[in-house]
Amino acid sequence: MLPLRITFAFKGKKGNNFVESCINIAKKYKLYMSEFEVDTFSIDLLLNMLSAKCIPVFSKIIRVIDINLLEKILEFRNIFKEIQFEFPYSFSRDWMTKTFFQLEKLLQRENIVISIYLNKSNINHLEAFLNLASKINIRKIVIPNPDLIEHLDFVKSNYLTLQVLKQIDIITEYMYQIEFSIHDFFIAKRPGIKDALFFRGCQSGKLLCYVLNGDVFPCKTIPILCGNLNEESFEVIWKKVNTEVNKISKGRLCLKCKNSNICYFGCPGTVFFINDGTKDPLCEEIYGNIPG
């Protein structure tokens, strides 16, 4: 089985070297979804190539962390199903307010989706964050899994705990106005997000993978390098991806769990790289059992 979704990330000057090869992969495999993470070094090349080449992808999403790039992307907005602005993992209240003011101006031209990885450094801002998002009519907020390739140390120090997870409940007050896409089963099921079951278990190595400057990983939350596009074909590397994921697919306590068919063993990236291979850090029960 070939992947249905690939995230192609181009970061720094090195990213330019892989834009064309990644677009060719998306074109060849007729993906269901292609996500592009891009910075100032590769934005022009990526946008020009996507404009020039017909890529038979059902859904194309572009994600940036630099708000100044959004203006440029809006000129090519017809290419993408979603334009996402990703908040940093840690930010101040003043920076947040200023950023929403900038986003409000851009929203007059196009809907922009916000992506925010929730952690202990920003969870106290969540209520104010949602209030500002609703005031400027943000239509969708994505809460992704953590990037453990580039931010492993930070995430290990700031991962949400069960004790602070209750602060997520504020989301329910905004669900009538904002669509939420939460990519962690345990976080999503707390406020009752409708697609919680869609994000249970792990799809990496089966349906998706992550490519950073030509380096192929199962996903951003599984920092296992499986190969580089300069050295091997994508087909050869893809076969390794599923093999690597299978090695870490189940935590030690998950093997004893009678309800693993509910969560599908959680996220293997957080199980093994955040919680030492025991179980998903947000699983409620000591033996991995979660209420049905």
Side-chain angles (χ1 to χ4, degrees):
M1 178 184 292
L2 292 171
L4 298 178
R5 170 184 155 200
I6 302 180
T7 300
F8 300 104
F10 312 104
K11 300 183 180 181
K13 294 181 180 179
K14 184 180 178 182
N16 258 351
N17 300 329
F18 295 94
V19 172
E20 185 171 9
S21 60
C22 287
I23 288 180
N24 288 337
I25 288 173
K27 185 175 182 179
K28 179 178 180 180
Y29 293 107
K30 300 180 180 179
L31 303 170
Y32 176 80
M33 181 184 293
S34 287
E35 295 183 318
F36 300 96
E37 296 180 355
V38 63
D39 60 18
T40 55
F41 292 100
S42 303
I43 185 70
D44 290 327
L45 180 60
L46 175 65
L47 292 175
N48 290 334
M49 284 194 171
L50 287 175
S51 299
K53 293 195 175 189
C54 180
I55 302 176
V57 175
F58 177 77
S59 176
K60 291 191 283 292
I61 295 172
I62 190 165
R63 184 181 305 113
V64 295
I65 61 173
D66 185 344
I67 197 168
N68 296 315
L69 294 184
L70 291 175
E71 186 76 30
K72 183 172 294 187
I73 293 171
L74 289 179
E75 299 174 12
F76 297 81
R77 57 187 175 273
N78 292 333
I79 297 176
F80 303 103
K81 181 180 180 181
E82 281 187 4
I83 298 171
Q84 293 186 6
F85 173 70
E86 182 177 12
F87 270 63
Y89 280 18
S90 181
F91 51 83
S92 68
R93 188 70 63 95
D94 288 343
W95 182 91
M96 178 178 69
T97 302
K98 177 182 177 182
T99 299
F100 272 109
F101 178 75
Q102 294 174 281
L103 286 170
E104 185 176 22
K105 293 181 179 179
L106 295 172
L107 284 168
Q108 296 173 8
R109 294 171 55 190
E110 181 70 14
N111 286 321
I112 295 172
V113 176
I114 294 177
S115 175
I116 176 172
Y117 167 63
L118 293 177
N119 58 80
K120 286 191 291 187
S121 80
N122 63 33
I123 191 68
N124 290 331
H125 298 321
L126 180 58
E127 185 170 3
F129 176 92
L130 294 174
N131 184 45
L132 287 169
S134 66
K135 284 183 176 179
I136 67 171
N137 295 316
I138 291 292
R139 65 179 179 85
K140 181 178 179 181
I141 293 176
V142 175
I143 301 176
N145 286 326
D147 179 355
L148 300 186
I149 298 172
E150 296 196 292
H151 302 290
L152 178 59
D153 290 339
F154 176 89
V155 174
K156 288 184 74 170
S157 300
N158 292 277
Y159 202 80
L160 291 177
T161 63
L162 289 171
Q163 288 72 30
V164 301
L165 191 60
K166 62 183 180 181
Q167 292 178 258
I168 299 289
D169 294 350
I170 189 66
I171 286 175
T172 59
E173 298 182 18
Y174 294 87
M175 288 171 59
Y176 73 95
Q177 180 182 351
I178 301 172
E179 175 188 355
F180 290 88
S181 179
I182 302 178
H183 296 185
D184 181 282
F185 169 74
F186 292 101
I187 296 177
K189 77 182 187 70
R190 183 172 180 100
I193 299 298
K194 62 182 180 180
D195 58 3
L197 295 183
F198 178 76
F199 291 107
R200 60 182 176 171
C202 181
Q203 299 176 2
S204 60
K206 304 176 183 67
L207 301 179
L208 64 88
C209 70
Y210 181 77
V211 182
L212 170 61
N213 291 349
D215 289 332
V216 181
F217 299 86
C219 79
K220 292 174 74 172
T221 314
I222 302 180
I224 300 175
L225 179 60
C226 297
N228 183 276
L229 297 177
N230 269 350
E231 300 169 359
E232 298 175 291
S233 68
F234 180 78
E235 293 91 335
V236 172
I237 299 172
W238 175 247
K239 293 177 182 178
K240 301 177 187 178
V241 174
N242 184 255
T243 300
E244 293 298 330
V245 174
N246 285 338
K247 292 178 182 178
I248 60 167
S249 60
K250 302 176 182 67
R252 294 189 296 275
L253 294 182
C254 299
L255 297 173
K256 305 176 182 179
C257 181
K258 296 178 181 179
N259 293 314
S260 57
N261 62 317
I262 297 175
C263 68
Y264 292 172
F265 306 103
C267 169
T270 58
V271 170
F272 280 84
F273 295 98
I274 301 298
N275 210 22
D276 299 322
T278 56
K279 63 172 185 174
D280 192 292
L282 296 179
C283 180
E284 298 94 331
E285 300 296 331
I286 188 169
Y287 290 114
N289 295 298
I290 58 177

